[in-house]
Amino acid sequence: MPRTFRVLITGHQVDLLQKIAEALAPLRELKLDISLLPHHETDPLGKPGPLPDLLVHCLSAQAELELGALIVRPPAQRPAALLVVGLPGNSDLHHIRLAMQAGARDFITQPLAAEELRQDVHKIQGELASESGSGDHALTAFLSPKGGGGASTVAMGIAHMLVARYHVPSLLMDLDCQFGSQYLNLDLKPEKGLREALDAVDAIDEVALKAYVAAHPSGLHVMGALPSQILLPGDVTERQLYQLLEILIRNYGQIVVDLPCVIDSTFSLIIEKMRRIVLVVQQDFQNIRNGQKLVRILREDLQVTPDRVALVVNRFEANNPISLQDIENALQLRIVGIVPSDFRSVNDAANLGIPLLEHAPKSPVTQALLQLTGWMMGIKPAEETPPTFSAKLRAWLAGKG
Ligand SMILES: Nc1ncnc2c1ncn2[C@@H]1O[C@H](COP(=O)(O)OP(=O)(O)OP(=O)(O)O)[C@@H](O)[C@H]1O
Ligand SMILES: [Mg+2]
């Protein structure tokens, strides 16, 4: 299981602490604690208790003393990360400086924007994972156990949404080295791609990397075999690929890998590196039969634990005799996304070379992919988030009216 990320919210104003807790509640893999400090307490960690991974401290009128208490703490007695929420009004440069001395990763000004706060915390969570050596947190592969299941469509839609909606620097890596079409789907004309990057891997740094990716106007970067090339098995050595992935991990917040279902040594290496593997399946027997085979290979041959694998049902039809429950039971995996069939939107977007979010923002397929992107960002679907006090109050008032 992914390790729970422990967040402690401290400060002197109960309503502000609650507001932050409500903003962070939709994030998965998070354990939230609130510590309302007594009036006289100026040490944010003055109350006894285990150190959190992330301390979110809200400054009060005694901001200098609070930040000072954090600055003088020995490193071993500090939380892994600190996020400081400033006083209302203009952010005070003096406080920002002190916060930086205390090791703060960010300084948030009031009024709070819930989405911005969530993104910050998610980013810090990723940074800590990466610093602790589990930097593969950003890698997600999409593949279909049966050709044509929709892995490339889903991977591209999500990679674009990660950039366009969540502003996460992201790379779409097309590892279908023979028939990949992500450059075409995004109307990109790359000069150098995966082959060239692999050949130059020993010399590539952050700056040089830019020459090997194609940048979509949205900000999404794409890397794959050039449309004119076909890479054969053996053209991609494991060492080069491993090295390239390490460079990419250091440079992107999220890497979405479009992976063909060809079981070879490249496949094993990629699967081993991925934090998440998303199987895109359709509601038919061949998908399920191939899916079962693939799940067995992942578990038994590649030692992938089930918590790293999730299902997306593509081209979902409510009246199909194979239900979602049938699919979950057969593959013993959790469905995290349900994408309806929408030939017109998907086909037109691909033909025009425009991402779905731009071409058909309101279409059901785009909406479903947005939900799935939320899952990638660690946001729980609304129905899983416990109602907050204000939501309960609103519901109660609505019932009264
Ligand atoms: N939800 C959907 N609604 C309608 N058409 C879809 C949907 N998802 C995918 N398609 C279409 O199905 C076809 C196959 O999709 P895609 O290329 O994404 O699948 P794939 O699993 O990557 O296939 P391959 O095995 O060739 O790599 C494409 O023509 C695509 O436009
Ligand atoms: Mg594909």
Side-chain angles (χ1 to χ4, degrees), residues 144 147-153 176 314-315 339-343 346-347 365:
S144 282
S152 300
T153 304
D176 187 338
N314 188 27
R315 294 187 161 172
V339 184
S341 191
D342 190 347
F343 178 77
V346 174
N347 200 47
V365 72

